Amino acid sequence: MIYLAYEYFFFFFMNSEYLAWINQLAEQFNWLINPASRIYWLYLLASMPVVIIYTKIKPQNNINISGIFFNPKYWWNRSTKHDYFWMACNQVLLVLILTPIVWDQLSVAININRALINFFGMGDLISLPHLSLIFLFSFSLFILEDFSRFFVHWLYHKVPFLWRFHAIHHSATTLTPFTLYRVHSIEFLINNLRWLFVTGITSGIFMYLFSGKITVIEILGVNIFNFTFNLVLSNLRHSHIYIGFGRLEKLFISPAQHQIHHSLDEKHFNRNFGSCLAIWDRLFKSWLSSKDESILRFGISKKPPKLSGQLRAILN
C-alpha cells in the first residue's frame, strides 16, 4: 500500500508537465523581483527618499512615515486581505486559463502585418536610423498604452455592467501599492486583452511600415518610458501619502490626483482616470487638480455586488 502511494506520488508530482506548470505558477508570484511588476522592489525603494524629502519641504501635511510604512495593521487589515485574495486568484487564472488560450503579442503582430500586406501590398515603406526607429516605437507604444488604459478605465466607470466588476478595486478603504492588483477576474481578463491587442496591433503596424528590426528601448527588460513612470512615484498612487505635482499636474497625473479618484467624497467621483499623462482627462473633462483638495475617506458608498449578482449580470 505504501509502495503504491509512493508510486502515485512520484508519477503525479514528479511528472515533468506538472513540474513545469508548478514552476510557471510560481513565477507569477514574483512581483517584488520582477521589473515588469509595478511593485518591483526598486520602484518601492525609490519612493522612500521622495516621501522623506517631500515631508521635510511640506511638514504641514503631517505625514507619519513610520505610522504608515512600518505599521503591520496598515498592511494587514480587512481591506488589504481582499487585495491579496484577488492578487492570488488572478495569477492562478493567468496560468490556468489565459496563458494557454490567449495569443501572445508576437502572434497578434504577425497577423496584423500579414493582413496589411494582403490589403495594401508589401510594406517596409519607411527607413529610419535604428536608434530613431526604436525610440519612435517605444514612445508610440507608451502613448497608445497610456491612452488605452485611460479609455478602458473610463469605460469601467461609465458602463454600469463594467462598474460591477471595477467596484471591487474601488471598495478598498486602505490604499497600499498592492491595491493596484485588487481587481475582479473579469477586469483582469479585460486588462490583459487590452494590453495584448494594443501592443500587438502597434507592433504589427510598425513591422509593416518600417524596415529594420522593431524593438523597444529597455531598462531591465521594461520599456524605458514605463520604467521611468514606475520608478517615479507610481507606487504612491495607491497610498495615503498625498503628493501633488503643482503645475506639472496639467501634464502628468500625480499620486494625489489618483487618490482623489479613490475618494469617497461625491465631488471627486469620476475624476482623474489617467495613469500617467493628464492630457486624456483634460480632453474628456475629467481632470481635477489636487490643489486645495482634501480626502477624508477612501472606498465606495455601496458594497460591490456579490459574485452571484455579477454572474447574473453576465447571463442577462
Side-chain angles (χ1 to χ4, degrees):
M1 188 72 173
I2 295 175
Y3 176 77
L4 288 174
Y6 173 79
E7 285 287 316
Y8 175 80
F9 175 87
F10 184 84
F11 175 79
F12 185 75
F13 288 96
M14 300 306 290
N15 182 279
S16 59
E17 291 184 4
Y18 179 81
L19 290 176
W21 180 84
I22 289 294
N23 182 60
Q24 187 180 11
L25 181 62
E27 287 178 354
Q28 302 307 314
F29 291 86
N30 64 350
W31 297 288
L32 294 175
I33 60 173
N34 180 7
S37 164
R38 279 268 295 274
I39 54 173
Y40 177 52
W41 68 268
L42 182 60
Y43 306 147
L44 293 170
L45 189 63
S47 302
M48 293 300 295
V50 177
V51 171
I52 294 170
I53 294 170
Y54 188 84
T55 53
K56 291 292 184 183
I57 296 173
K58 293 195 172 183
Q60 68 273 15
N61 285 287
N62 195 29
I63 298 172
N64 184 348
I65 299 174
S66 61
I68 292 176
F69 289 116
F70 303 109
N71 183 355
K73 291 183 179 179
Y74 172 70
W75 299 101
W76 187 257
N77 55 60
R78 186 175 181 180
S79 177
T80 58
K81 288 176 186 176
H82 287 279
D83 297 354
Y84 308 135
F85 168 79
W86 286 107
M87 285 175 71
C89 281
N90 290 331
Q91 295 312 306
V92 173
L93 173 73
L94 182 65
V95 174
L96 290 181
I97 300 176
L98 297 184
T99 301
I101 67 172
V102 175
W103 278 352
D104 61 16
Q105 174 192 345
L106 182 59
S107 300
V108 175
I110 290 172
N111 280 277
I112 291 295
N113 185 37
R114 286 174 179 169
L116 290 172
I117 291 173
N118 290 335
F119 277 102
F120 303 108
M122 292 303 296
D124 294 341
L125 306 176
I126 306 170
S127 180
L128 290 176
H130 181 64
L131 187 58
S132 300
L133 176 58
I134 63 175
F135 178 85
L136 178 62
F137 178 62
S138 302
F139 183 71
S140 300
L141 200 56
F142 171 73
I143 295 295
L144 293 170
E145 256 256 270
D146 194 65
F147 173 72
S148 70
R149 277 196 298 265
F150 165 85
F151 186 65
V152 170
H153 190 185
W154 183 84
L155 289 175
Y156 285 145
H157 284 257
K158 298 299 182 180
V159 179
F161 169 73
L162 294 176
W163 170 250
R164 289 172 177 266
F165 307 111
H166 189 56
I168 295 293
H169 180 70
H170 275 272
S171 65
T173 54
T174 301
L175 301 188
T176 79
F178 295 96
T179 307
L180 171 71
Y181 296 97
R182 178 200 182 109
V183 294
H184 192 283
S185 296
I186 298 296
E187 180 176 343
F188 182 74
L189 172 63
I190 294 171
N191 291 343
N192 273 272
L193 290 174
R194 175 202 60 77
W195 173 87
L196 174 70
F197 285 108
V198 169
T199 56
I201 291 171
T202 305
S203 300
I205 292 173
F206 266 78
M207 288 169 63
Y208 177 77
L209 289 178
F210 296 93
S211 59
K213 186 178 180 182
I214 305 296
T215 59
V216 298
I217 303 174
E218 295 181 338
I219 300 177
L220 299 178
V222 180
N223 184 322
I224 187 171
F225 296 103
N226 289 332
F227 182 89
T228 304
F229 168 67
N230 291 339
L231 194 66
V232 182
L233 303 182
S234 68
N235 279 301
L236 295 179
R237 290 158 55 84
H238 293 105
S239 76
H240 293 238
I241 301 172
Y242 195 81
I243 296 181
F245 288 166
R247 293 181 179 179
L248 285 177
E249 287 186 342
K250 291 185 177 180
L251 299 175
F252 304 104
I253 298 294
S254 70
Q257 284 178 292
H258 191 72
Q259 290 159 25
I260 286 171
H261 179 74
H262 277 269
S263 170
L264 191 55
D265 193 328
E266 243 180 84
K267 69 178 182 178
H268 294 151
F269 290 177
N270 294 322
R271 294 289 191 172
N272 302 334
F273 297 106
S275 292
C276 181
L277 302 177
I279 184 173
W280 319 125
D281 277 298
R282 295 178 68 186
L283 288 173
F284 279 71
K285 312 286 186 190
S286 54
W287 182 86
L288 178 65
S289 169
S290 66
K291 186 180 179 181
D292 300 326
E293 298 293 333
S294 61
I295 300 171
L296 299 178
R297 287 189 300 164
F298 297 113
I300 54 178
S301 54
K302 294 181 181 179
K303 290 183 178 180
K306 292 183 178 180
L307 181 60
S308 57
Q310 292 167 346
L311 291 175
R312 280 198 298 271
I314 294 173
L315 296 174
N316 293 333

